[in-house]
Amino acid sequence: QVQLVESGGGLVQAGGSLRLSCAASGRTFSSYTMGWFRRAPGKEREFVAAISWSGGNTAYANSMKGRFTISRDNTKNTLYLQMNSLKPEDTAVYYCAADQDSWAAVARRGYGMNYWGKGSLVTVSS
């Protein structure tokens, strides 16, 4: 099991940047596939990005490619999401997630994951 706590959300103007962090507790953090998801007001949860335990594999939703970057620092048990060129459409609660399955297994099921943080709100003003 793992505990996940997001931070770094807030209010930002369109075109600005934010970096979200996810602090993870658990002895096997370095072996977890991890990712970010978001839920915008009135919409379903959507996949944002994922990263393998080593950081050697990453995946992004098409709408985030070129603007968002996922990374991790296993020595600090921390996952990051750098968000640039933010748009009002990016307004959402952003969730950190993790799974103990291999990258291949997680990718095969569309990056669905078992462990979730409580979320951090990002609001982008126009």
Side-chain angles (χ1 to χ4, degrees), residues 10 12 18-20 30 33 38 44 52 62 73 76 99 112:
V12 63
L18 283 176
R19 187 179 74 164
L20 300 180
S30 63
T33 300
R38 71 184 186 186
E44 297 181 349
S52 62
N62 288 334
D73 185 343
K76 298 180 179 180
D99 201 281

Side-chain angles (χ1 to χ4, degrees), residues 10-85:
L11 177 65
V12 63
Q13 289 185 306
S17 299
L18 283 176
R19 187 179 74 164
L20 300 180
S21 298
C22 174
S25 62
R27 298 177 183 178
T28 61
F29 172 80
S30 63
S31 297
Y32 279 53
T33 300
M34 301 193 70
W36 292 96
F37 295 76
R38 71 184 186 186
R39 183 181 291 275
K43 298 183 179 180
E44 297 181 349
R45 184 202 70 184
E46 67 176 332
F47 169 74
V48 174
I51 188 168
S52 62
W53 69 268
S54 67
N57 296 98
T58 59
Y60 296 90
N62 288 334
S63 62
M64 290 82 177
K65 289 181 179 178
R67 298 191 300 123
F68 292 6
T69 302
I70 189 171
S71 62
R72 67 193 297 166
D73 185 343
N74 290 343
T75 66
K76 298 180 179 180
N77 289 343
T78 302
L79 177 74
Y80 302 99
L81 182 69
Q82 178 67 45
M83 304 184 292
N84 298 326
S85 301

